[in-house]
Amino acid sequence: MYNIAIDGPAGAGKSTIAKIVAKKLGYIYVDTGAMYRTLALSCFRAEIAASEQEKVVENCRSVKVTLGYEDGTQKVYLNGEDVSAEIRQEEIGNMTSAIAVYPPVREIMVAMQKQIAKENNVVMDGRDIGTVVLPDADLKIYLTASARTRAERRYKELTEKGQECNIDEIEADIIERDYRDMHREVSPLKQADDAVLVDSSQMDIEQVVEKIISLV
């Protein structure tokens, strides 16, 4: 099996790039964020508050999260039920970041992700894929861009959706999130020693994709 790990800070375009690379290579794209969101959804449905750590962990141990494809679109399943749309709700997103900090929840998720990678050719993106989840990945990429570039991309995305926003505030949020991700106790964001650094500040999506495929 061939495993590609893509790590990097928020807003670097990891998911967009990983999906395209996976499609071009015919690999499975493992959306780690969607998997965490599915665990959060199962807790939400069970009416467990994010602050109830023991109940959260117990619940997460009892569920099964799997990935699949229907008509070329990736789906995520909770105990066999397609929850791809439901996990995108704002309240589920908020709950996800609250429960993802619990070490046992991360352990459960890492075990699931390792199993998927063992059985399939995968492209997996996140914050700690090359360092924790797939330390033996065949190719590791650390994808980044300047905070300003990432803020500009996010600003464009939001304004196109008709949302009002302030680019300086977005940049400040990105810098704060970078700091939080890099300094958290469990699995902090860092570039793996054997990862290839790809700075996309001056590159478009297609150029980044081509660079990664050439490395494969």
Side-chain angles (χ1 to χ4, degrees):
M1 294 300 150
Y2 197 95
N3 295 169
I4 301 170
I6 302 180
D7 289 305
K14 299 183 297 294
S15 302
T16 304
I17 300 296
K19 281 177 194 164
I20 299 170
V21 169
K23 198 168 188 179
K24 290 203 171 197
L25 294 171
Y27 289 9
I28 283 182
Y29 163 59
V30 180
D31 186 340
T32 56
M35 293 179 76
Y36 274 106
R37 280 172 175 266
T38 305
L39 290 184
L41 175 65
S42 72
C43 292
F44 182 79
R45 284 180 172 180
E47 298 183 349
I48 298 167
S51 56
E52 299 177 283
Q53 183 172 350
E54 282 181 22
K55 286 186 179 177
V56 165
V57 172
E58 191 184 333
N59 182 71
C60 291
R61 285 211 171 103
S62 70
V63 301
K64 189 174 185 192
V65 179
T66 50
L67 300 170
Y69 281 87
E70 284 177 30
D71 303 325
T73 306
Q74 190 181 61
K75 301 287 185 184
V76 58
Y77 304 96
L78 170 60
N79 298 327
E81 178 198 347
D82 179 2
V83 292
S84 313
E86 210 176 329
I87 59 168
R88 296 299 165 191
Q89 295 170 33
E90 192 68 30
E91 57 199 350
I92 303 303
N94 293 335
M95 187 156 190
T96 304
S97 53
I99 70 165
V101 297
Y102 298 142
V105 171
R106 299 193 77 83
E107 282 166 25
I108 293 162
M109 191 80 319
V110 167
M112 285 185 192
Q113 290 159 358
K114 282 179 183 285
Q115 193 58 37
I116 292 171
K118 197 193 281 186
E119 296 166 359
N120 303 276
N121 293 321
V122 300
V123 182
M124 203 180 289
D125 73 299
R127 304 278 191 282
D128 60 352
I129 309 301
T131 52
V132 176
V133 184
L134 301 178
D136 300 322
D138 302 273
L139 174 63
K140 296 179 189 176
I141 303 290
Y142 189 82
L143 181 65
T144 190
S146 68
R148 191 66 183 183
T149 300
R150 288 182 280 142
E152 284 165 358
R153 290 172 183 168
R154 184 75 181 133
Y155 177 81
K156 184 170 180 276
E157 200 179 298
L158 291 170
T159 49
E160 280 173 0
K161 287 180 183 170
Q163 294 181 29
E164 286 204 5
C165 49
N166 179 307
I167 193 162
D168 295 325
E169 283 174 13
I170 294 171
E171 185 179 13
D173 284 346
I174 283 173
I175 291 167
E176 187 189 332
R177 191 165 168 188
D178 285 353
Y179 184 86
R180 209 165 54 228
D181 286 343
M182 289 171 181
H183 292 81
R184 69 183 181 205
E185 273 183 52
V186 183
S187 308
L189 166 67
K190 63 172 185 274
Q191 183 178 339
D193 295 336
D194 52 349
V196 179
L197 177 68
V198 177
D199 187 327
S200 69
S201 299
Q202 307 297 324
M203 299 165 82
D204 62 23
I205 291 171
E206 202 47 53
Q207 288 170 319
V208 177
V209 170
E210 279 173 18
K211 168 80 176 169
I212 293 173
I213 288 178
S214 73
L215 289 166
V216 172

